[in-house]
Amino acid sequence: MSQPPSTPPRPRTVDADLARRAFDEALAQHDQAFGTFFLARLFGFEFVYDDTPGQETCSVSFELKDFMFNPQGTLHGGVICFLMDVSMGHLMAHLVGAGATLELKTQFLKAATHGRITAQGRILQRGKSIWFLESRLTDEQGEPLAFATSTWKAPRAKPGTA
Amino acid sequence: MSQPPSTPPRPRTVDADLARRAFDEALAQHDQAFGTFFLARLFGFEFVYDDTPGQETCSVSFELKDFMFNPQGTLHGGVICFLMDVSMGHLMAHLVGAGATLELKTQFLKAATHGRITAQGRILQRGKSIWFLESRLTDEQGEPLAFATSTWKAPRAKPGTA
Amino acid sequence: MSQPPSTPPRPRTVDADLARRAFDEALAQHDQAFGTFFLARLFGFEFVYDDTPGQETCSVSFELKDFMFNPQGTLHGGVICFLMDVSMGHLMAHLVGAGATLELKTQFLKAATHGRITAQGRILQRGKSIWFLESRLTDEQGEPLAFATSTWKAPRAKPGTA
Amino acid sequence: MSQPPSTPPRPRTVDADLARRAFDEALAQHDQAFGTFFLARLFGFEFVYDDTPGQETCSVSFELKDFMFNPQGTLHGGVICFLMDVSMGHLMAHLVGAGATLELKTQFLKAATHGRITAQGRILQRGKSIWFLESRLTDEQGEPLAFATSTWKAPRAKPGTA
């Protein structure tokens, strides 16, 4: 796709100050636990849980920064997968403890280029040993950007718990 | 799972020197293009292409570092998805130019905790407008760690090319 | 898993009258077109479309019959995939003409053993050349049985249409 | 796609004799067990197992018949999913007993219109409670038609077995 001559060329390097600030904050403030582990801090993830019974969600949102971009200048699909995984894994950890992802499928509906985006993880089915989850990624206007589903192995019940 | 008393507790923070070195190198050496974009540099991805006709591959390998870990102390599944996506996307870019991932599914066969791992992207089917790819992630002993398949939209043929 | 002695053994053969009736009706009434092709008739699929703009759906329902069962005595997972595919493909055909499935993922939430079940196909994202769809399978009580997502290639616009 | 005037129109009904013969044979010869259940008989599935340790496979092949076609006149994608599921589920049942499919993803590489096709199921990873499998569908010339991956819950070990 040729571009009109007036379009400024895409910068070949990322915003160094922005990246360094994100890195320094992540290094200073991380704690290798749910919600606060290093990569979650580096990307600036913020977590909001809704505990309404039967419709529990975990929403993870952050502001796009160009150090997360692919060579085409949009949010890297791999970062989207990472975010989707986090939104579902944190929901599960919040409700019953750390599970293990067996598989994750993400569909990429639309490229994201700027602003704040939010992935909302939700339960499809909650079994004794297996959970099925979904996550929807939207931009600030609520436009869908990606959709993911995953399958998880639940943590084993601790002795003495139901 | 209770652990024997002799196991040292897992550190709550990542190796700061290692993380800072990776970050500084990425900032100094990245170029927002295939093979050299910031996140590929930060994770330390190295690329090897095999152009044997009919069995082209792109192998992406790197050394695990604890700043890529999840709260449980193993390589984050989201980073694995990122890596798988990169191995397939770079193969396509290498062969015909940048495509767009429509969807990506990753199965997590075994947790990765240390050493060098390699994702090898390969073509399942190469169509005019749609490509199907797979990628296998293995450790240094060749043990399978993850398997991914994806569907891509090929770049439009440039005028004057077949 | 041993069963209590009072449980009658599962029959080793399907209900022959029921199967023959379904087959004869399918042979007599099919037409190799959307909604009426042979396998849709054999399984007894009934189609209901909702054309509400922005939330179009295609619901496909049918009564379980034991000739569709797996060796364990529940609806075969492959028949569920078939149904999910049909609910999404028919929605697309209804709206813009026959598309081509690029990929389909189905998660099996709960086994189905009897009664009427319904798969409802819905659009995740509608692009010019690529569509993303989902489908939810539920029983008569609305309990979720399966969830599917798929990616489709849209039919090429006919000359003279938008 | 307009067709040259010499192309005969596609028949609107399936070959009734062929369908009836398949149905009557299935009704006479089925047994609701692995390898012989009704739908496997109706489609004419033939099973071949390879028990080579570390590379076990289950190959399921059959001759296409037009009663399995979609409205466009090619093998229905849902039948392909069914076949892929069967090739993986039978491999598992053959090796350790009946498992439960958690999820199945199929990519459709090329339409199938005639002749004999074969799906070969194979193990990606064999865990204690979870198995990962893949299946490749090819035509008589070995050309790839479809690719599938799936995740399974293994049967619980019987008391007294390893």
Side-chain angles (χ1 to χ4, degrees):
Chain A
M1 285 171 286
S2 67
Q3 295 184 332
S6 58
T7 306
R10 205 163 53 230
R12 297 297 293 255
T13 53
V14 305
D15 183 324
D17 287 344
L18 203 60
R20 187 168 292 284
R21 209 174 318 131
F23 178 80
D24 288 342
E25 281 182 21
L27 209 51
Q29 295 169 11
H30 78 282
D31 173 20
Q32 291 301 81
F34 283 90
T36 56
F37 66 102
F38 183 81
L39 285 179
R41 289 290 197 206
L42 180 66
F43 292 136
F45 288 173
E46 294 175 20
F47 296 81
V48 176
Y49 295 92
D50 181 337
D51 289 327
T52 309
Q55 38 184 307
E56 300 86 351
T57 60
C58 168
S59 296
V60 187
S61 60
F62 71 109
E63 195 77 28
L64 294 201
K65 298 180 194 71
D66 65 358
F67 72 81
M68 311 163 186
F69 283 7
N70 56 31
Q72 294 101 305
T74 65
L75 181 61
H76 198 288
V79 177
I80 292 176
C81 293
F82 180 86
L83 172 65
M84 304 308 253
D85 187 28
V86 166
S87 71
M88 296 183 279
H90 277 63
L91 177 57
M92 193 167 184
H94 178 71
L95 295 173
V96 290
T101 334
L102 298 175
E103 60 82 31
L104 170 70
K105 175 191 171 189
T106 305
Q107 287 170 296
F108 304 93
L109 310 182
K110 202 178 150 187
T113 55
H114 67 281
R116 176 165 285 268
I117 65 175
T118 304
Q120 185 170 69
R122 182 181 296 271
I123 299 168
L124 281 169
Q125 183 85 339
R126 183 180 172 154
K128 211 157 56 172
S129 65
I130 301 292
W131 285 38
F132 300 94
L133 294 114
E134 65 165 60
S135 186
R136 289 173 196 270
L137 180 66
T138 50
D139 66 14
E140 284 166 284
Q141 283 70 46
E143 283 298 306
L145 300 174
F147 185 73
T149 59
S150 62
T151 309
W152 296 71
K153 208 170 149 182
R156 267 181 295 179
K158 294 187 195 70
T161 58
Chain B
M1 287 172 286
S2 67
Q3 294 186 333
S6 59
T7 306
R10 207 165 48 232
R12 296 297 295 256
T13 54
V14 304
D15 183 324
D17 287 345
L18 203 60
R20 187 168 293 283
R21 209 174 319 131
F23 178 80
D24 287 341
E25 281 181 22
L27 209 52
Q29 295 168 13
H30 77 282
D31 173 19
Q32 291 301 80
F34 282 90
T36 56
F37 66 103
F38 183 81
L39 284 179
R41 289 291 198 206
L42 180 67
F43 292 136
F45 289 174
E46 294 175 19
F47 296 81
V48 176
Y49 294 93
D50 180 337
D51 289 328
T52 309
Q55 38 184 307
E56 300 86 351
T57 61
C58 168
S59 296
V60 187
S61 60
F62 72 109
E63 196 78 27
L64 294 200
K65 296 177 195 74
D66 65 358
F67 71 79
M68 310 162 187
F69 283 6
N70 56 32
Q72 295 101 304
T74 66
L75 181 60
H76 197 289
V79 177
I80 292 177
C81 293
F82 181 85
L83 171 65
M84 304 308 254
D85 187 29
V86 166
S87 71
M88 297 184 279
H90 277 64
L91 178 57
M92 193 168 185
H94 179 71
L95 295 172
V96 291
T101 334
L102 298 175
E103 60 83 31
L104 169 69
K105 176 193 170 189
T106 305
Q107 287 170 295
F108 304 92
L109 312 181
K110 202 179 151 187
T113 56
H114 67 280
R116 175 165 286 268
I117 66 175
T118 304
Q120 186 169 69
R122 183 181 295 275
I123 299 169
L124 281 170
Q125 183 85 340
R126 182 178 173 155
K128 211 157 55 171
S129 65
I130 301 292
W131 285 39
F132 300 95
L133 293 114
E134 64 165 59
S135 186
R136 288 173 196 271
L137 179 67
T138 50
D139 66 15
E140 283 165 285
Q141 283 71 46
E143 284 297 307
L145 301 174
F147 185 72
T149 59
S150 61
T151 308
W152 296 72
K153 209 170 149 180
R156 268 181 294 178
K158 295 188 195 71
T161 57
Chain C
M1 286 171 283
S2 67
Q3 295 184 332
S6 58
T7 305
R10 208 165 47 231
R12 296 298 294 255
T13 53
V14 305
D15 183 324
D17 287 345
L18 203 60
R20 187 168 293 283
R21 209 174 318 132
F23 178 80
D24 287 343
E25 281 181 22
L27 210 52
Q29 295 169 11
H30 77 282
D31 174 19
Q32 291 301 80
F34 283 90
T36 56
F37 66 104
F38 183 81
L39 284 178
R41 289 290 198 206
L42 180 66
F43 292 136
F45 289 173
E46 293 176 21
F47 296 81
V48 176
Y49 295 92
D50 181 336
D51 289 328
T52 309
Q55 39 184 308
E56 300 87 350
T57 61
C58 169
S59 297
V60 187
S61 60
F62 72 109
E63 195 78 27
L64 294 200
K65 297 179 195 72
D66 65 358
F67 72 81
M68 311 163 185
F69 283 6
N70 57 31
Q72 295 101 302
T74 66
L75 181 61
H76 198 288
V79 177
I80 292 176
C81 293
F82 180 86
L83 172 65
M84 303 308 254
D85 187 28
V86 166
S87 70
M88 295 184 279
H90 277 64
L91 177 57
M92 192 169 185
H94 178 72
L95 295 172
V96 290
T101 335
L102 298 175
E103 61 81 31
L104 169 69
K105 175 193 172 190
T106 305
Q107 287 170 295
F108 304 93
L109 310 181
K110 200 178 152 188
T113 55
H114 67 281
R116 176 164 285 269
I117 65 175
T118 304
Q120 185 170 68
R122 183 182 295 272
I123 298 168
L124 281 169
Q125 183 85 340
R126 184 179 173 153
K128 209 157 57 172
S129 65
I130 301 291
W131 285 38
F132 300 95
L133 294 114
E134 65 165 57
S135 186
R136 290 173 194 270
L137 180 66
T138 49
D139 66 15
E140 284 165 283
Q141 282 71 46
E143 284 298 307
L145 301 173
F147 186 72
T149 59
S150 62
T151 309
W152 296 71
K153 208 171 149 180
R156 267 181 295 177
K158 294 188 195 69
T161 58
Chain D
M1 284 169 282
S2 66
Q3 295 185 330
S6 58
T7 306
R10 206 164 51 231
R12 297 297 293 255
T13 53
V14 305
D15 183 324
D17 287 344
L18 203 59
R20 188 167 292 284
R21 209 174 317 132
F23 178 80
D24 287 342
E25 281 181 20
L27 209 51
Q29 295 168 12
H30 77 283
D31 174 20
Q32 291 301 80
F34 283 91
T36 55
F37 66 103
F38 183 81
L39 284 178
R41 289 292 198 204
L42 180 67
F43 292 137
F45 289 174
E46 293 175 20
F47 296 81
V48 175
Y49 295 93
D50 181 337
D51 289 327
T52 309
Q55 38 183 309
E56 300 86 351
T57 61
C58 169
S59 296
V60 187
S61 60
F62 72 109
E63 196 77 28
L64 294 200
K65 296 180 194 69
D66 66 357
F67 71 81
M68 311 163 186
F69 283 6
N70 56 32
Q72 295 102 304
T74 66
L75 182 60
H76 198 288
V79 177
I80 292 177
C81 293
F82 180 85
L83 172 65
M84 304 309 254
D85 186 28
V86 166
S87 71
M88 297 184 279
H90 277 64
L91 177 57
M92 193 169 184
H94 179 71
L95 295 172
V96 290
T101 335
L102 297 175
E103 60 82 31
L104 169 70
K105 176 192 170 188
T106 305
Q107 287 171 296
F108 304 92
L109 311 181
K110 201 179 151 188
T113 55
H114 68 280
R116 176 165 286 269
I117 66 175
T118 304
Q120 185 169 69
R122 182 182 296 274
I123 299 168
L124 281 170
Q125 183 84 337
R126 183 180 172 155
K128 211 157 53 171
S129 65
I130 300 292
W131 285 39
F132 299 95
L133 293 115
E134 65 164 60
S135 186
R136 289 173 195 271
L137 180 67
T138 50
D139 66 14
E140 284 166 285
Q141 283 71 47
E143 284 298 306
L145 301 174
F147 186 72
T149 59
S150 61
T151 308
W152 296 71
K153 209 171 149 179
R156 267 181 295 177
K158 295 188 194 71
T161 58

